């Protein structure tokens, strides 16, 4: 009668243990670790031991964990390379912590010495881990599965039965069956040796290689990246040069020559919003119609940039990131001469595009006495004004636009050489225009209306034309495609290494002492799993149909025709 045994190898025979070790060798590409004889280690020995530790899997995982932990302060603490203004604000608010953070490099985490050290050590560890594993795995692919152990009964999964078929017929049937099941199989002596599950090691190597690709792509992207923002009013344009950006930041190895040569003009911006319901005021359409050209002699092309649908030119992507209004303002002096006429972009304060900004007349204005002077106006714009609520717009579209202007004169401070924001008014050296009651001059204007400045100082007109502006971000992130490919490869490689099991199967067919063929089948996996005994039982059942069991000498021959398939029973000494 046939039987299938599942057990762990015992220690009753040293020779059997060595035989089993040979059968299970090279089921993994992990290098064998030899315990160092520490007292006798010299310089070379210590160097080899340190290299072994650095390239071990546990150290690589530890470094990967440290890298993840090191990125946390980079996300929570303002970084100099991203926003220097927030860093300055943090220093003022935390006078005690700031010097400590400076010494630890927490304001420049990703370029700090300690983060770079972890990064480089992880890189070296992965390479040192992959190279020997790859060569070892290539050698395994070029070789053949090892021959069957002398005692198959010592393997975790085992089955045997007697058959009247010839040993050669059983081995040929087993070889054909295993190859059909996509095993690498060959005849060796009186047995068939087969192996399957190489995708596990391929997935393992692919995962580690993908990590290296991701590290390289991340480093490349950080060193050569660039990101700039530009506000463009309808009718105006932009050329991709450093002087054209409102703000710009880049990696340490980035140069101006890395900028892609292109320019574009904003023809029209279109924004529509939900008019009613719980989502009232929510944008439905945000798009910017532009014409652009690549290079100095490039032909003009038309396209539309939408949210999450950037324009790609070379390695650069042009994103649409913001929107606002730019009312056209005309300012005349006391003689009626135009000293200023332009669309003034104002910055939104809320979702209904309540906006604020400044209007600055720096040259060309003379007061009523003929003296040169500068004008400044604090502007507050409401696209949809509702009487009784002058603090905020009630809807983002231009349903009832009103601009509130607060007038000043004097010195704007722009000639002092100190940079200042074009959207803020420095009132340090300015005086407010006063009305007849001595109050600050401030008026609400609708399109087409004008405000007279006191004492014949001139007029300010809110023109009927209201332009819109769009904020664009030009980002250049080299290596992002490689990083994406690496992350996908890492996911698939990890899945393969976790869910695919590498295992071996041996089928031995030999003539017994009574002249009847004895068939033995055994399986061995890299780790204990119910899949190996199940798969072995399935294979044994199919092979049993081709080489059915022979009756025992004391059995009735008529009973052998109904002999059962191989059964799974505990091996001798195994726990029940």
């Amino acid at each position: 009668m046939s039987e299938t045994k599942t057990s762990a190898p015992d220690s009753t025979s040293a020779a059997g243990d060595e035989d089993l070790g040979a059968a299970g060798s090279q089921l993994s590409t992990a290098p064998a670790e030899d315990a160092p004889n520490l007292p006798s280690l010299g310089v070379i020995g210590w160097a080899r031991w340190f290299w072994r530790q650095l390239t071990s899997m546990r150290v690589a995982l530890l470094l990967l964990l440290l890298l993840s932990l090191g990125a946390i302060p980079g996300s929570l603490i303002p970084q100099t390379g991203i926003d220097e203004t927030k860093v300055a604000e943090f220093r003022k608010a935390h006078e005690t912590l700031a010097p400590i953070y400076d010494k630890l490099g927490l304001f420049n985490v990703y370029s700090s010495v300690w983060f770079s050290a972890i990064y480089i050590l992880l890189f070296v560890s992965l390479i040192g881990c992959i190279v020997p594993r790859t060569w070892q795995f290539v050698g395994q692919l070029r070789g053949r599965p090892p021959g069957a152990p002398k005692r198959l009964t010592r393997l975790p999964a085992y089955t045997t039965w007697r058959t009247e078929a010839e040993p050669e017929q059983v081995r040929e049937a087993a070889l054909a069956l295993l190859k059909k099941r996509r095993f690498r199989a060959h005849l060796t002596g009186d047995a068939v040796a087969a192996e399957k599950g190489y995708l596990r090691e391929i997935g393992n190597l692919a995962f580690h290689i993908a990590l290296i690709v991701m590290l390289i792509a991340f480093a490349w992207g950080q060193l050569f990246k660039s990101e700039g923002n530009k506000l463009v009013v309808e009718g105006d344009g932009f050329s991709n040069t450093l002087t054209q950006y409102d703000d710009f930041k880049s990696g340490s190895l980035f140069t101006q020559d890395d900028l892609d040569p292109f320019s574009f003009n904003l023809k029209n911006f279109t924004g529509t919003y939900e008019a009613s319901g719980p989502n009232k005021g929510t944008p439905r359409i945000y798009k910017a119609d532009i014409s652009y050209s690549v290079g100095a002699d490039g032909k003009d092309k038309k396209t539309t940039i939408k949210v999450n649908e950037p324009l790609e030119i070379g390695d650069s992507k042009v994103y649409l990131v913001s929107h606002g209004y730019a009312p056209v303002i005309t300012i005349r002096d006391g003689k009626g001469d135009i000293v200023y006429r332009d669309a003034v972009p104002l910055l939104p304060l809320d979702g209904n595009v309540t906006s604020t900004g400044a209007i600055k007349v720096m040259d060309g204005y003379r007061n009523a006495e003929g003296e040169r002077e500068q004008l400044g106006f604090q502007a507050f714009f409401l696209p949809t004004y509702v009487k009784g609520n002058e603090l905020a717009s009630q809807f983002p579209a231009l349903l009832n636009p009103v601009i509130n202007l607060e007038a000043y004169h004097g010195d704007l401070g722009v000639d002092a050489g100190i940079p200042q924001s074009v959207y803020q008014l420095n009132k340090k050296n300015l005086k407010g225009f006063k009305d007849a009651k001595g109050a600050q001059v401030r008026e609400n204007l609708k399109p087409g209306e004008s405000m007279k400045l006191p004492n014949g100082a001139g007029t300010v007109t809110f023109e009927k034309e209201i332009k819109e502006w769009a904020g664009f971000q030009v980002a250049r992130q080299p290596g992002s495609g490689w990083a994406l490919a690496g992350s996908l490869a890492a996911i698939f490689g990890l899945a393969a290494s976790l869910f695919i099991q590498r295992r071996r199967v041996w089928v031995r067919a030999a003539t017994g002492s009574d002249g009847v063929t004895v068939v033995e089948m055994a399986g061995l996996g890299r780790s204990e799993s119910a899949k190996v005994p199940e798969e072995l039982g399935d294979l044994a059942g199919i092979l049993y149909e081709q080489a059915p069991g022979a009756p025992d000498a004391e059995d009735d021959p008529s009973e052998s025709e109904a002999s059962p398939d191989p059964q799974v029973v505990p091996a001798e000494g195994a726990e029940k």
Side-chain angles (χ1 to χ4, degrees):
M1 180 161 175
S2 61
E3 60 180 6
T4 299
K5 301 178 181 179
T6 58
S7 68
D10 56 34
S11 57
T12 59
S13 172
D17 289 342
E18 294 177 1
D19 192 31
L20 179 58
S25 65
Q26 298 181 348
L27 270 174
S28 170
T29 54
E33 295 189 10
D34 300 326
N37 186 10
L38 296 181
S40 62
L41 283 180
V43 176
I44 297 178
W46 276 108
R48 293 180 62 184
W49 179 83
F50 177 78
W51 176 254
R52 272 295 182 86
Q53 300 305 310
L54 179 61
T55 57
S56 65
M57 182 60 64
R58 57 179 175 271
V59 172
L61 292 175
L62 179 61
L63 290 172
L64 190 60
L65 175 62
L66 290 177
L67 193 70
S68 302
L69 294 176
I72 294 177
S75 303
L76 301 178
I77 300 173
Q79 300 295 292
T80 304
I82 298 177
D83 196 332
E84 294 186 3
T85 303
K86 288 187 177 181
V87 173
E89 293 175 354
F90 187 93
R91 292 180 187 276
K92 292 180 180 179
H94 304 84
E95 296 181 358
T96 303
L97 281 178
I100 299 175
Y101 284 5
D102 275 326
K103 292 181 179 179
L104 296 176
L106 297 183
F107 290 122
N108 298 279
V109 168
Y110 303 111
S111 59
S112 63
V113 175
W114 58 268
F115 190 87
S116 300
I118 298 173
Y119 193 90
I120 294 173
L121 284 175
L122 177 60
F123 190 80
V124 173
S125 177
L126 288 174
I127 292 180
C129 183
I130 287 174
V131 172
R133 280 175 174 259
T134 302
W135 284 115
Q136 187 173 350
F137 185 62
V138 170
Q140 293 177 17
L141 291 177
R142 296 178 62 182
R144 290 186 173 186
K150 294 180 180 180
R151 298 179 60 185
L152 292 177
T153 56
R154 301 179 60 80
L155 296 182
Y158 172 82
T159 184
T160 182
W161 72 91
R162 295 154 41 106
T163 181
E164 294 180 346
E166 295 296 325
E168 292 79 6
Q169 296 176 353
V170 176
R171 290 194 289 266
E172 290 177 1
L175 182 63
L177 172 62
L178 292 170
K179 287 185 175 181
K180 185 178 180 181
R181 292 296 185 93
R182 298 189 301 275
F183 279 83
R184 290 181 63 206
H186 70 106
L187 287 170
T188 170
D190 60 351
V192 176
E195 189 170 0
K196 190 179 183 180
Y198 287 92
L199 283 178
R200 177 188 180 94
E201 295 303 326
I202 293 177
N204 192 13
L205 293 174
F207 173 75
H208 288 81
I209 294 174
L211 287 181
I212 291 181
V213 171
M214 292 172 62
L215 289 174
I216 294 175
F218 176 77
W220 187 268
Q222 290 297 312
L223 292 173
F224 292 94
K225 72 175 182 180
S226 65
E227 182 181 295
N229 295 286
K230 178 63 179 179
L231 185 152
V232 182
V233 179
E234 287 177 330
D236 292 344
F238 166 77
S239 179
N240 193 28
T241 59
L242 291 180
T243 56
Q244 288 277 297
Y245 284 99
D246 295 331
D247 61 83
F248 186 86
K249 54 180 177 287
S250 63
S252 56
L253 298 183
F254 175 85
T255 63
Q256 187 171 351
D257 295 335
D258 295 326
L259 291 172
D260 294 304
F262 68 88
S263 60
F264 66 84
N265 292 311
L266 177 60
K267 298 298 183 181
N268 182 58
F269 179 88
T270 303
T272 61
Y273 310 88
E274 290 287 347
S276 60
N279 296 322
K280 181 180 178 180
T282 302
R284 296 181 60 187
I285 298 176
Y286 258 14
K287 64 178 184 178
D289 298 320
I290 69 168
S291 63
Y292 72 97
S293 62
V294 180
D297 301 322
K299 295 182 179 180
D300 283 347
K301 302 177 183 178
K302 295 182 179 180
T303 189
T304 299
I305 302 177
K306 300 179 181 179
V307 177
N308 297 326
E309 295 182 17
L311 169 65
E312 296 188 26
I313 303 177
D315 293 332
S316 301
K317 292 184 179 181
V318 183
Y319 294 90
L320 175 63
V321 294
S322 57
H323 155 257
Y325 294 103
V328 178
I329 303 296
T330 300
I331 300 175
R332 293 177 172 85
D333 59 16
K335 297 180 180 180
D337 296 332
I338 295 177
V339 295
Y340 180 92
R341 180 183 175 87
D342 202 357
V344 183
L346 304 176
L347 301 182
L349 299 175
D350 56 29
N352 287 326
V353 201
T354 304
S355 306
T356 185
I359 304 171
K360 301 179 182 181
V361 181
M362 294 176 284
D363 299 306
Y365 174 77
R366 293 179 181 272
N367 58 22
E369 288 77 22
E371 298 176 351
R372 292 184 177 275
E373 207 170 24
Q374 293 178 333
L375 300 179
F377 298 86
Q378 190 71 51
F380 193 71
F381 181 72
L382 285 69
T384 301
Y385 168 76
V386 176
K387 191 173 182 180
N389 187 355
E390 300 182 355
L391 298 178
S393 174
Q394 302 302 302
F395 195 74
L398 294 171
L399 301 183
N400 184 27
V402 167
I403 190 170
N404 178 277
L405 295 178
E406 189 175 314
Y408 296 87
H409 64 99
D411 182 9
L412 293 172
V414 294
D415 299 327
I418 302 175
Q420 59 177 254
S421 172
V422 296
Y423 305 105
Q424 295 179 344
L425 196 63
N426 184 359
K427 301 177 184 178
K428 182 178 180 181
N429 298 316
L430 292 177
K431 297 179 181 180
F433 281 102
K434 306 295 183 179
D435 59 14
K437 299 180 180 180
Q440 171 68 48
V441 173
R442 177 186 297 173
E443 289 188 24
N444 286 341
L445 301 178
K446 292 186 177 181
E449 294 183 347
S450 298
M451 175 179 69
K452 289 185 178 181
L453 299 176
N455 303 320
T459 60
V460 181
T461 303
F462 177 20
E463 303 292 347
K464 293 183 178 181
E465 181 184 11
I466 301 177
K467 294 185 178 182
E468 299 187 50
W469 59 260
F472 297 94
Q473 182 181 86
V474 182
R476 185 178 181 274
Q477 189 71 38
S480 57
W482 284 102
L484 176 61
S487 61
L488 294 176
I491 293 173
F492 286 113
L494 182 61
S497 64
L498 290 177
F499 297 108
I500 297 176
Q501 184 178 18
R502 192 171 172 187
R503 62 269 192 201
R504 287 173 180 161
V505 173
W506 293 272
V507 181
R508 173 177 287 146
T511 303
S513 58
D514 56 356
V516 179
T517 301
V518 178
V519 181
E520 293 182 287
M521 293 186 68
L524 178 65
R526 179 178 173 182
S527 58
E528 293 185 8
S529 171
K531 185 175 182 179
V532 174
E534 290 175 0
E535 187 173 36
L536 184 68
D538 182 36
L539 293 171
I542 297 174
L543 186 60
Y544 187 87
E545 294 177 356
Q546 302 179 38
D552 294 332
E554 65 275 9
D555 290 345
D556 188 340
S558 62
E559 296 179 358
S560 65
E561 297 178 0
S563 179
D565 290 343
Q567 307 262 334
V568 178
V569 297
E572 297 177 1
E575 295 182 1
K576 296 184 179 181

